[in-house]
Each structure stands twice: as C-alpha cells, then as structure tokens.
Amino acid sequence: RCYTIESTNNLYIHYGFMALYYCIEAMVLCIIRPSRKVVRGQTVLVTGAGSGIGQRLAVSFAKLGCQIVGLDISEAGMKETAKLIRELDTKVAFHPYKCDLSDRLNVNEVGDKVKSDVGDVDILINNAGIVTGKEILDCPDKMMVKTMEVNTMAHFWTIKAFLPAMMEKNSGHVVTIASGAGLLFGLPALLDYCASKFGAVGLSESLDLELWQQKKDGVHVTVVCPYYIDTGMFKGVHTPVIPILKADYAVEQMVDAILRNKRMLLLPFFSYIIYALKGIIPSKAMYVVGEAFGINTSMETFIGRK
Ligand SMILES: NC(=O)c1ccc[n+]([C@@H]2O[C@H](COP(=O)([O-])OP(=O)(O)OC[C@H]3O[C@@H](n4cnc5c(N)ncnc54)[C@H](O)[C@@H]3O)[C@@H](O)[C@H]2O)c1
C-alpha cells in the first residue's frame, strides 16, 4: 500500500478518535451498565461441570432456562449436577458427557457427539482446571503436562469444535475461567498452574481481537480471573489479609458478567487496582506487596484435592 503523508496523518487521527471514543464508551458503560441478555432456551456447555464453579455455573444457567451440556471426567460429579438441576424443577435438559479434557482426541470425539445429539452451543464455558501445587523441581513432569492440557490446551479443542457455528450465525459466547494467577501475579509452587492460566488469558484476548477484526461482533468473549475461591480446589491455602471468595458470590458475579457481555472480570474488585499497579510499579515492589498480603506464601499450607 502507498500512503501519502497527508492520508497517513488522517489515518492516525482516525485511530486516535476511535481509541478516545472507546475509552469514553467504557466509562459510560461503567456508569450505565449494559442490560443483561436473555438466554432462555439457549444451550450452555460447561467443562468441569461436576464440581465447584462449573457445577454452580451449570445450575445457574439452568435456572435461567438454558439447556446444559456438562463435560467432566468425574461421572459421580455429573450425577450430582444432574440431581441439582432436576431439583430445580425447571424442566430444562441436562446432557452429561464423560470427557477427559487432557486428551485431545477424546475432546474432539465428545465435541462431535454433542453436536449430533444436542446441536450447536450458544455459550461455551471453559472452566475445568487442575492444580498440583508443588515447586518446580518437585512437580512431576506428567502433572505439569496435564495441567497445561486441561487448563489451556483443552480450550483450543473446544473452541475449534463450537466456534464455527457461532461465527456462521454471528452469535455466541466463549467464556474462559482463568485466574488472578494468570494475569496479576505468578506464585511459588504454582509455576505450571500460572503458566497454564496466563496461556488461557492470552488465548481469550487473542480470540476476542480475531473476532473483532473479522467483524463478528455477535460472538462475545469473556475471561474471568478470580482470587482463591472456597471450592476445595485450593484446600489448605492460607491468606491472612484477603479473605477467600465464597463460591456462590463468585459464580453470581461470573453469570452477571457473561449476561452483560463483559470482556474481563477480575474478582475481588480491588484486583483491578493491582492489575493497574502491575504495569507501573517495579517487580520487586509488587513482590513486597504480595509478601505483605501473605499471597506469596499462601501455597505453603496447600492440601488441594486428592
Ligand atoms: N477454586 C479456586 O480458588 C479458583 C481460583 C481461581 C480460578 N479457579 C479456576 O476455576 C475453575 C474451576 O475451579 P473449581 O474451584 O471449581 O475446581 P474443582 O476442582 O472444584 O472443579 C474442577 C472440575 O474439573 C474437572 N476436571 C479435572 N480434570 C479434568 C479432566 N482431565 N477432564 C475433564 N474434567 C476434569 C473435575 O472433575 C472437576 O469437576 C478452574 O479452572 C480453576 O483453575 C479456581
């Protein structure tokens, strides 16, 4: 392309105005919050639907009148989710699929089965996650690989399975349940977990931009980065200053963010301040902040799940 100096200047003025417009739009949307979208009748797929956040998200969307597709390696967990959804008496369908998200071929196979049994998915929630909680030299290679496979790689395979139909209709939503440890800070004894979550955040951000460039503004992308939540995944962690989030509260906030098509949700609220600080203050100053809040040492008492 050949630009004259004048047309190049005009182009940059245009970009400047557009950037300013979106800043003002964001500020306005902070005050006048966008209304919640109606999801009744839609199909929501939740990975890791057999426990914790995933189970609560499945139940919450069932309450909103969505049919739920649950993917989990735990059949016992899915039975419990099925029972909770049945008890709602909303008559929405729950379709449980046993799936090992660390196995790409299994994810593809289950993805095809979901499409032929249930049809297209309107909201895809990549939620399943695992954590080993060991320092780098003690962490078994196998668990590091599995952590990357479940927490990051599986997202690629589910997105590849369900995004094409969303793009064709220019309607849908891809949600990533990442972590504050995938955006705000890396932590000792969580190297593979943090790497996997930073990866998931990067995937979500890039996907959002890809869709924006392709003018697929009907397909929304949300990434959620919470602090510790009391589901049992991080059983034993000790955080003397910042209280561990209650799972019901965290899920309520997540559902609200999805229904308002929010691009990023950080929990709790002051995480936004830490996020802003991270870009300004030096790393060592951030380490001291982490030390003061007991975050750096929070994993020392970690027990986690078996
Ligand atoms: N609990 C927290 O403190 C916390 C904080 C920040 C982010 N998160 C993230 O939220 C998400 C949900 O966490 P949670 O607290 O509900 O955890 P959880 O352990 O209660 O649930 C995880 C679910 O994933 C399933 N799963 C694990 N490995 C799988 C595999 N290979 N294939 C299929 N399913 C598999 C499990 O069976 C389980 O049902 C995770 O991605 C986690 O990293 C959790």
Side-chain angles (χ1 to χ4, degrees), residues 33-39 64 252-253 255-261:
R33 300 175 76 200
S35 54
R36 287 170 155 227
K37 63 184 172 189
V38 177
V39 290
L64 291 169
E252 204 179 283
Q253 296 297 309
V255 172
D256 188 70
I258 296 168
L259 296 180
R260 294 183 200 275
N261 295 326

Side-chain angles (χ1 to χ4, degrees), residues 165-180:
M166 294 185 193
M167 288 182 73
E168 205 176 305
K169 293 185 271 189
N170 192 21
S171 169
H173 204 140
V174 179
V175 181
T176 301
I177 307 299
S179 169

Side-chain angles (χ1 to χ4, degrees), residues 209-245:
L209 183 53
E210 233 177 63
L211 292 167
W212 189 72
Q213 277 186 334
Q214 293 177 33
K215 307 220 177 334
K216 297 289 176 190
D217 57 349
V219 184
H220 301 279
V221 176
T222 297
V223 62
V224 181
C225 298
Y227 183 63
Y228 292 121
I229 308 169
D230 68 351
T231 59
M233 183 184 191
F234 282 92
K235 187 175 167 204
V237 294
H238 180 57
T239 58
V241 182
I242 307 164
I244 288 176
L245 294 166

Side-chain angles (χ1 to χ4, degrees), residues 24-52:
I24 295 168
E25 183 194 59
M27 283 189 262
V28 172
L29 289 178
C30 271
I31 303 161
I32 312 160
R33 300 175 76 200
S35 54
R36 287 170 155 227
K37 63 184 172 189
V38 177
V39 290
R40 178 168 292 281
Q42 293 196 352
T43 303
V44 180
L45 186 148
V46 185
T47 70
S51 165

Side-chain angles (χ1 to χ4, degrees), residues 9 34 58 81 103 117 122 130 143 174 209 234 236 247 251 261 269:
N9 283 347
T81 308
D103 177 349
D117 297 349
D122 299 293
I130 54 168
M143 287 316 295
V174 179
L209 183 53
F234 282 92
V251 170
N261 295 326
F269 186 76

Side-chain angles (χ1 to χ4, degrees), residues 48 50-54 72-74 99-102 127-130 150 177-179 193 197 226-229 231 233-234 305:
S51 165
I53 307 292
D72 206 298
I73 201 164
S74 160
C99 178
D100 180 358
L101 290 155
S102 67
N127 158 78
I130 54 168
V150 177
I177 307 299
S179 169
Y193 182 81
K197 293 295 181 180
Y227 183 63
Y228 292 121
I229 308 169
T231 59
M233 183 184 191
F234 282 92
R305 294 198 187 283

